[in-house]
Amino acid sequence: MKIKVLKDITTANDAMAAQNRQLLDEHNILTINLMSSPGAGKTSLILRTIKQFKDRVRLGVIEGDVASKIDADRIGKESIPVVQINTGGSCSLEAHMIGRALRKLPLKDIDVLIIENVGNLICPAEFALGEHKKVVIASIPEGDDKPAKYPVIFTEADAVVINKLDMLPHFDFDLSRFRKHIEGLNPKVCIFEVSCRSGEGIAEWCAWLSQQAKRKRGV
């Protein structure tokens, strides 16, 4: 019975995700599902991306948190359209939540939509949202064993961002080992080494994001 209920939930979610994807495609909006454990730097990466793009790429953001609107307020100060979703305890965003949020956004004014998922390396990998690309952030203080402990989310990622590179001298984090482990799980994944504090690597990350947006628009 438990398996059947779970299957029913995921089937319904996938159907809603397909509707979201259709709406986003109609507006030629590249949509990113940004996932990580708590504190890895999702909001910081979004803020750095906003500054890098300035007026060149029009961004929109959906912020997912269990509670509060702290991150949405930070994004809103940058004059970026943003919608807050509070899950009230759920460990991941789901497609029906995104569907409601999309109705609150000026879709005709957005080129790239970033969905900041709830901080978690397990649940977000299970629910499609209608996104075009999945991006996982891993930070130096978390350690280099995360791909081994949470392989599913890294296997499904289109890109992995290694954040807080400026803290590398202070932690026992083997970049080479981390990269090899991810590439063993996911040979086609793009990997970016960045520091949201210093700005290192942000240009390369944004260049990839811009390229994906152009491909989405057929430019």
Side-chain angles (χ1 to χ4, degrees):
M1 177 63 72
K2 185 176 180 180
I3 294 175
K4 182 181 184 302
V5 170
L6 180 60
K7 184 177 180 180
D8 288 345
I9 291 172
T10 55
T11 299
N13 182 84
D14 288 348
M16 186 68 232
Q19 292 181 33
N20 293 342
R21 179 72 168 264
Q22 182 178 356
L23 178 61
L24 293 161
D25 286 344
E26 288 172 358
H27 288 83
N28 288 320
I29 299 173
L30 174 72
T31 302
I32 304 296
N33 184 0
L34 189 60
M35 302 173 285
S36 79
S37 58
K42 294 186 297 296
T43 306
S44 296
L45 182 65
I46 291 172
L47 289 168
R48 271 288 184 178
T49 303
I50 291 170
K51 291 180 180 178
Q52 182 74 21
F53 280 149
K54 295 182 180 177
D55 298 325
R56 294 185 294 114
V57 178
R58 301 174 301 172
L59 293 174
V61 176
I62 295 176
E63 280 288 340
D65 285 297
V66 172
S68 86
K69 60 185 186 72
I70 295 171
D71 292 338
D73 287 343
R74 292 175 66 192
I75 300 296
K77 289 179 181 178
E78 303 297 326
S79 299
I80 296 295
V82 57
V83 175
Q84 176 71 55
I85 297 176
N86 290 131
T87 65
S90 297
C91 59
S92 173
L93 294 176
E94 297 176 20
H96 69 91
M97 301 175 185
I98 300 302
R100 290 197 298 266
L102 290 176
R103 293 196 290 269
K104 300 177 182 179
L105 286 168
L107 299 182
K108 61 182 177 59
D109 299 323
I110 296 174
D111 299 316
V112 176
L113 175 64
I114 301 178
I115 302 171
E116 180 176 335
N117 218 314
V118 178
N120 192 298
L121 289 176
I122 301 175
C123 301
E126 298 176 357
F127 292 96
L129 304 178
E131 73 273 33
H132 299 98
K133 300 291 180 181
K134 297 178 186 292
V135 177
V136 179
I137 303 179
S139 65
I140 297 299
E142 293 176 82
D144 55 24
D145 58 356
K146 291 298 175 286
K149 292 181 175 180
Y150 307 96
V152 174
I153 199 166
F154 288 96
T155 299
E156 295 184 354
D158 296 286
V160 172
V161 176
I162 306 171
N163 190 26
K164 305 187 182 181
L165 200 62
D166 53 297
M167 303 185 75
L168 187 59
H170 309 291
F171 289 89
D172 184 19
F173 189 105
D174 189 323
L175 274 173
S176 177
R177 182 168 58 193
F178 184 87
R179 277 179 163 272
K180 286 179 180 178
H181 201 143
I182 291 179
E183 290 166 352
L185 292 169
N186 188 349
K188 296 182 179 180
V189 72
C190 296
I191 301 176
F192 302 94
E193 299 176 10
V194 313
S195 168
C196 290
R197 180 182 293 274
S198 70
E200 182 179 357
I202 295 298
E204 289 77 9
W205 150 253
C206 286
W208 177 83
L209 197 57
S210 180
Q211 182 183 50
Q212 302 307 309
K214 288 179 179 178
R215 286 179 179 174
K216 183 72 186 65
R217 298 195 303 273
V219 176

